[in-house]
Amino acid sequence: MAYVPAALLTVGIAVLSLWENPHVPHSLQVSDKVLHGLMYTMLAVAWMAPVVNRRPTVLTGTVVCLAVTLYGALLEWLQHTCTTTRSGEWLDVAADWAGAALGVVVTGLVCWLWRKHTHTTSH
């Protein structure tokens, strides 16, 4: 049950990534790379969140970052090969990786700060 939000976000990103010719209102348009970075930061946080109560390891963060980045690369490849109005870009994959790495680092930092705070307040 803890991974349901992450799974829903994963599916949502796939739908948005493969949607032919999406219409985005001009007022909501931001840099494509910024959007990729934000989406994949949220995705990495969502996949890391269930381990916050446990002690997330460097291995956990590395696996999540790699998996989220590979997912982004897969979606870029699918955009390139399976859609007529979308294209796959390596810079989008780089933005996905940067977002995933940021999400893992932020989650790890929050977990460490929370653990430190709860440890000092329990004494």
Side-chain angles (χ1 to χ4, degrees):
M1 198 69 175
Y3 291 100
V4 169
L8 291 174
L9 187 57
T10 301
V11 171
I13 288 174
V15 169
L16 290 174
S17 296
L18 300 174
W19 188 358
E20 294 272 350
N21 220 1
H23 175 69
V24 179
H26 185 67
S27 61
L28 296 178
Q29 289 180 355
V30 294
S31 165
D32 179 51
K33 305 313 175 253
V34 170
L35 190 58
H36 275 265
L38 291 173
M39 285 192 312
Y40 285 81
T41 296
M42 290 186 308
L43 189 58
V45 168
W47 283 108
M48 288 288 293
V51 300
V52 167
N53 288 334
R54 299 186 304 256
R55 189 170 297 224
T57 65
V58 171
L59 178 61
T60 303
T62 302
V63 168
V64 168
C65 187
L66 182 62
V68 167
T69 302
L70 289 174
Y71 179 68
L74 172 66
L75 290 177
E76 289 299 313
W77 178 76
L78 289 172
Q79 283 180 348
H80 177 73
T81 60
C82 300
T83 68
T84 57
T85 61
R86 307 296 295 263
S87 64
E89 296 181 31
W90 283 109
L91 287 177
D92 286 347
V93 176
D96 298 344
W97 169 81
L102 179 62
V104 166
V105 167
V106 165
T107 306
L109 182 61
V110 167
C111 183
W112 177 76
L113 288 171
W114 184 23
R115 199 175 244 43
K116 184 177 177 181
H117 173 72
T118 57
H119 180 67
T120 58
T121 57
S122 64
H123 288 203

